[in-house]
Amino acid sequence: METQVPLGRPLSSSGLSHGSSSNLVLDSHGDENTLEYRIKASDKSGSKPISLWHDVTLVHVDPATDRPTPYLNFVCEIPKFSRKKYEIATDEVGNFIKQDEKKGVLREFKKGDIFFNYGCLPRTWEDPTFVHPDAEGCRGDNDPVDVCEIGSRIVGTGEIRPTKVLGILCMIDEGEADWKVVTIDADDKWAPFLNDIDDVEKLLPGTLSAIREWFRTYKIPDGKPPNVFGLDEKFMDKHYALEIIKECNHAWKELITGEKERKLEQCDPVVRGLVRKLSKSNLVDLAIDDDEALLSNWLYLLVDPTAVESDHVVFATCEAIMLFTTSHEITTETPKKDSCYEA
């Protein structure tokens, strides 16, 4: 069956969102190893703070052509071979990166150094009012979707890298669904050979089981029980991962447009408090339409990365589109999640 794809066009001309790290700079503020330490992103002029959660597009944009690529942006929080638990401060203005703390004590992985780059996908949100049918009855964890990037490069805290999505693991962390997307840096030497989760097991045997065991056991040194997993502990394939990512991108849009908050009255007070504490202050200037178009264009690149230059181009539109392949149908529509989590 013939593949139908939209013709690409520049998508970030508004300058209100960032499709790559090309126009961003990172600066450290405060003394390292203190509660006040922050890693802050801003535009190159240094005059405009940039939220690594809200202002960076989910889809990576080639800075040379200003067009979407087949990759997703990965924001690194914890570099491989390190243990300080850095994270985007979702509840602080600007969403800068800080070292997590508990009762005034800075947190590190007591298990030891992590062996992959760990971070998140921008413009995603694991909705705490939604229970995914495969998540063992657990609601979302109220954070951006986590990423385990398995390439050889050590990515610094706050860096943004284009990555290929390979698969996903459903971890259940203290009663919350905590999805872990497996990716590889687009420039890694293994990237051309890894296109789905089965390729990882075939070409890099042991990598996936090591990731799962890391997450199963990393809280044991803190005196907590092992984590558990949904879906029979299986890493699901790229197609499944993309469905979760689309759901979480849709949830993020509901969050930042205020649609989610308008539905909160039907939720229990704990969940309402979780959602309302999140910082959405950077969103005054946000161009949501750009993100919709980017995601639509990115989906067609997955079907055929050369489509813009090939005879497969059948129609040109950057609005709501539908992609057709011989195996399944992919749409940019995500089912609405109107039901609230019930404690």
Side-chain angles (χ1 to χ4, degrees), residues 65-300:
T65 63
D66 203 26
R67 297 180 187 274
T69 71
Y71 311 119
L72 293 187
N73 279 319
F74 159 62
V75 178
C76 186
E77 296 166 307
I78 308 173
K80 67 189 298 185
F81 308 137
S82 70
R83 66 183 68 183
K84 292 180 181 179
K85 198 174 183 303
Y86 286 115
E87 62 181 17
I88 289 177
T90 58
D91 58 348
E92 292 184 6
V93 174
N95 308 124
F96 303 122
I97 292 180
K98 66 175 183 178
Q99 188 171 353
D100 190 22
E101 57 90 13
K102 185 173 183 179
K103 298 181 179 179
V105 178
L106 295 173
R107 296 184 63 195
E108 297 184 352
F109 292 128
K110 292 182 180 179
K111 178 181 173 71
D113 293 349
I114 201 166
F115 67 92
F116 45 86
N117 294 302
Y118 190 54
C120 67
L121 295 175
R123 295 190 175 182
T124 61
W125 179 54
E126 295 194 47
D127 184 354
T129 73
F130 175 62
V131 177
H132 190 278
D134 292 337
E136 306 291 328
C138 297
R139 59 183 174 85
D141 73 349
N142 203 39
D143 283 324
V145 176
D146 293 330
V147 172
C148 309
E149 192 281 307
I150 62 173
S152 57
R153 176 198 300 257
I154 298 176
V155 183
T157 300
E159 284 190 48
I160 302 167
R161 295 293 306 167
T163 58
K164 292 177 69 172
V165 174
L166 302 174
I168 195 167
L169 177 68
C170 180
M171 187 176 88
I172 307 301
D173 186 358
E174 299 185 20
E176 296 178 333
D178 193 0
W179 296 96
K180 309 296 183 184
V181 177
V182 179
T183 73
I184 189 163
D185 193 292
D187 293 333
D188 193 87
K189 67 178 182 179
W190 282 105
F193 308 103
L194 301 178
N195 297 299
D196 213 324
I197 202 68
D198 289 342
D199 297 328
V200 181
E201 190 60 39
K202 178 181 177 181
L203 300 176
L204 300 174
T207 299
L208 298 179
S209 60
I211 291 173
R212 183 172 48 234
E213 292 313 303
W214 165 269
F215 285 115
R216 189 194 308 277
T217 61
Y218 82 99
K219 288 189 174 182
I220 292 177
D222 293 311
K224 296 181 178 180
N227 282 318
V228 297
F229 304 90
L231 295 162
D232 296 322
E233 302 195 353
K234 294 178 182 177
F235 283 84
M236 305 304 286
D237 64 13
K238 176 170 72 174
H239 178 68
Y240 187 98
L242 295 178
E243 291 300 318
I244 298 298
I245 292 167
K246 285 195 294 179
E247 285 181 6
C248 293
N249 177 251
H250 177 81
W252 171 84
K253 290 178 185 126
E254 284 196 330
L255 173 69
I256 54 89
T257 58
E259 183 177 350
K260 175 56 62 178
E261 191 151 359
R262 288 190 289 272
K263 299 176 181 178
L264 285 180
E265 291 310 314
Q266 60 186 302
C267 300
D268 66 73
V270 174
V271 172
R272 289 202 299 268
L274 287 172
V275 175
R276 286 173 173 162
K277 78 173 185 176
L278 297 174
S279 174
K280 302 175 279 289
S281 61
N282 282 56
L283 297 168
V284 176
D285 301 329
L286 198 59
I288 302 302
D289 291 340
D290 276 4
D291 203 55
E292 286 280 7
L294 276 171
L295 190 57
S296 296
N297 278 264
W298 179 75
L299 287 169
Y300 86 75

Side-chain angles (χ1 to χ4, degrees), residues 3-5 298-307 323-325 330:
T3 301
Q4 296 188 16
V5 298
W298 179 75
L299 287 169
Y300 86 75
L301 286 170
L302 290 180
V303 177
D304 181 0
T306 64
L323 309 175
F324 297 91
T325 69
I330 309 173

